[in-house]
Amino acid sequence: MTGPPLFTHPGWRRLTILALYGYQGLAAGFAVTALPNHLAGLGAAPEAIGAMLALIGLPWVLQPLWGPLIDRFGDARMGRRRAWIVLGLTGALACLAALPIAGDGAGALSRIGLLLLLHNACASLLDTAADAMIIDCVPADRLGETTALTRAGFVGGSALGAAAFSALAAAHGLPLAEHVLLLLGALAAAIPLLVREERGDALVSLGRRRQEGRGTASYLAVLKELAEFGRRRDILALLAVCVVEEFATAAFGVHFGLDLVATGRWDAASLSQLQGGLTLASGTVGALSIGLWLDRVGPRHALSLLLGSCVAAYVATALLLLGPRSYALEACAMALSSVVPALVFVSLAPTVMQIIRGSGAATQFALVMAALNGGGVLGSAVSGHLGALLPSWLVALGGAGLFALCTLAAAKPERLFGTTQPRSAGD
């Protein structure tokens, strides 16, 4: 193939996605795992570390706010979405470059937290723009593979970041770990700088296209499209599936993990190792396998099958927890209840992406992700109350019931909200 590297080329697309989401995973592994453990070892109070984690997580809660901005201003000569990706990466790397100046010690926690807050604001901009570029440019029959690559890049990066930066910080101090993260981030940023979104885009430019075209709609047009998006019954059904599926997974997962530690059957380190290994396996090998299969059978069919598999997995989990407990049986229950639901996202995201292609894609997909995050937060919040009222097997059985409802909703959206509105030929 002649010409510059393009995101529309399968090889360059895969490399770009792995670079972007791998970087996000590395940064998350550093900020959420390696850094808190390092600061705790230096004597920082748990309450202060918890407050820092809540602070740096705020940009991901507010991520949908970037959507209208990205959708409204898409006339950059560098590319409709790529310009925002490069802007987000530049801001994120600038924050990483300032981290060593913040210091290495419990007293530096507030300064580090502020820099990571700014970093995550830039990273959430990058993530929103990258999702929108996938929706705009990836063929419908490759969305499964692409979503699997985003998951594999993030999960693999998170696991590597947590392990590598923890070891570097312990052996050589936090500044070296921060410098290594900056170096890896700069290497990742070289890919979207090299790979153009579409033929004819400028390699680097601060200019804007003057001709009329997509990406130059007014805020009013973006908001009008968003209102139409919110009235579509198939979208409402999928949003309901997002919330309920994440709620069920988090409510049982958090309760079960805490129950295993609280009753003394597992120590925290062993449980964390098991959960980390399951997350890595489901997010890499599992996600890639499901993604390739999904592109053959179609995302909607795959989503129904995977949600049905969650029903079976949670029923099996309930049965395992009904009888005599053992280390092996509890490990199996943990695997069933975490790995299978984790694969649902690989089919859920392409299902949504096929529906929301258009000028407001960034805003619409960000709202879907917010629904997923909201369901998870709500499930985590009620997990303790459920555990105080119900045994683990009954909580798992309730989760199976919720997944059964999701399976019905994904297969026939009209069962929840009536007949799906017809789509125009241009949808």
Side-chain angles (χ1 to χ4, degrees):
M1 179 180 176
T2 60
L6 297 175
F7 187 74
T8 50
H9 184 273
W12 288 114
R13 181 171 67 240
R14 295 180 187 116
L15 181 60
T16 303
I17 288 170
L18 287 174
L20 291 174
Y21 290 87
Y23 165 71
Q24 292 184 60
L26 283 172
F30 170 81
V32 178
T33 303
L35 178 62
N37 291 342
H38 179 75
L39 293 174
L42 295 178
E47 295 81 4
I49 295 175
M52 182 197 72
L53 290 174
L55 177 69
I56 67 177
L58 184 61
W60 298 105
V61 178
L62 302 177
Q63 185 177 1
L65 296 178
W66 289 122
L69 187 67
I70 294 171
D71 285 330
R72 167 63 181 89
F73 297 102
D75 54 355
R77 294 186 62 230
M78 283 182 63
R80 185 183 183 213
R81 311 298 192 182
R82 177 170 165 263
W84 290 104
I85 290 173
V86 172
L87 178 62
L89 273 170
T90 302
L93 293 178
C95 294
L96 293 184
L99 272 179
I101 304 174
D104 179 11
L109 190 147
S110 59
R111 296 189 295 274
I112 293 173
L114 178 59
L115 286 171
L116 288 177
L117 170 69
L118 296 175
H119 171 276
N120 284 354
C122 296
S124 64
L125 170 63
L126 155 67
D127 184 68
T128 306
D131 288 338
M133 188 164 71
I134 289 171
I135 295 170
D136 287 350
C137 300
V138 177
D141 61 353
R142 289 292 180 268
L143 285 174
E145 174 195 85
T146 303
T147 303
L149 287 173
T150 68
R151 183 73 176 169
F154 183 83
V155 171
S158 296
L160 177 61
F165 295 130
S166 293
L168 282 173
H172 303 287
L174 189 61
L176 179 62
E178 292 166 343
H179 281 104
V180 171
L181 176 59
L182 175 61
L183 174 61
L184 294 175
L187 291 174
I191 304 301
L193 279 174
L194 174 68
V195 180
R196 307 183 199 203
E197 189 173 348
E198 294 180 341
R199 193 176 298 276
D201 289 345
L203 182 64
V204 178
S205 174
L206 298 178
R208 298 169 62 184
R209 291 189 175 96
R210 295 302 177 187
Q211 71 272 20
E212 293 184 2
R214 69 184 184 119
T216 59
S218 67
Y219 273 122
L220 183 61
V222 171
L223 292 175
K224 181 180 178 181
E225 186 169 324
L226 182 61
E228 294 173 352
F229 166 81
R231 288 196 296 267
R232 289 179 53 183
R233 295 182 174 93
D234 52 352
I235 288 293
L236 292 175
L238 287 174
L239 285 174
V241 169
C242 289
V243 174
V244 175
E245 180 268 329
E246 285 295 307
F247 173 86
T249 302
F252 177 75
V254 174
H255 155 71
F256 187 43
L258 294 177
D259 179 63
L260 291 178
V261 174
T263 54
R265 289 189 295 270
W266 288 66
D267 63 87
S270 298
L271 182 61
S272 296
Q273 290 170 2
L274 174 64
Q275 291 171 323
L278 292 173
T279 300
L280 184 61
S282 64
T284 52
V285 177
L288 290 171
S289 301
I290 292 295
L292 294 174
W293 166 70
L294 182 150
D295 285 333
R296 292 196 297 270
V297 304
R300 180 63 67 89
H301 181 58
L303 178 60
S304 296
L305 289 176
L306 284 172
L307 287 170
S309 299
C310 289
V311 178
Y314 268 61
V315 169
T317 297
L319 294 175
L320 287 173
L321 298 179
L322 260 175
R325 295 288 191 93
S326 72
Y327 187 90
L329 288 177
E330 289 171 340
C332 288
M334 180 63 72
L336 285 170
S337 61
S338 59
V339 172
V340 181
L343 299 175
V344 170
F345 177 77
V346 181
S347 59
L348 183 58
T351 302
V352 174
M353 286 177 175
Q354 282 193 344
I355 296 174
I356 66 175
R357 290 171 179 259
S359 62
T363 305
Q364 294 166 17
F365 192 72
L367 288 173
V368 173
M369 295 304 297
L372 278 167
N373 293 332
V377 169
L378 184 59
S380 299
V382 305
S383 61
H385 301 289
L386 288 174
L389 297 172
L390 304 170
S392 295
W393 71 267
L394 197 52
V395 178
L397 203 58
L402 292 177
F403 278 116
L405 293 176
C406 290
T407 305
L408 294 174
K412 297 287 186 179
E414 63 271 18
R415 290 180 181 174
L416 276 184
F417 298 104
T419 303
T420 304
Q421 290 180 348
R423 299 175 63 190
S424 66
D427 285 345

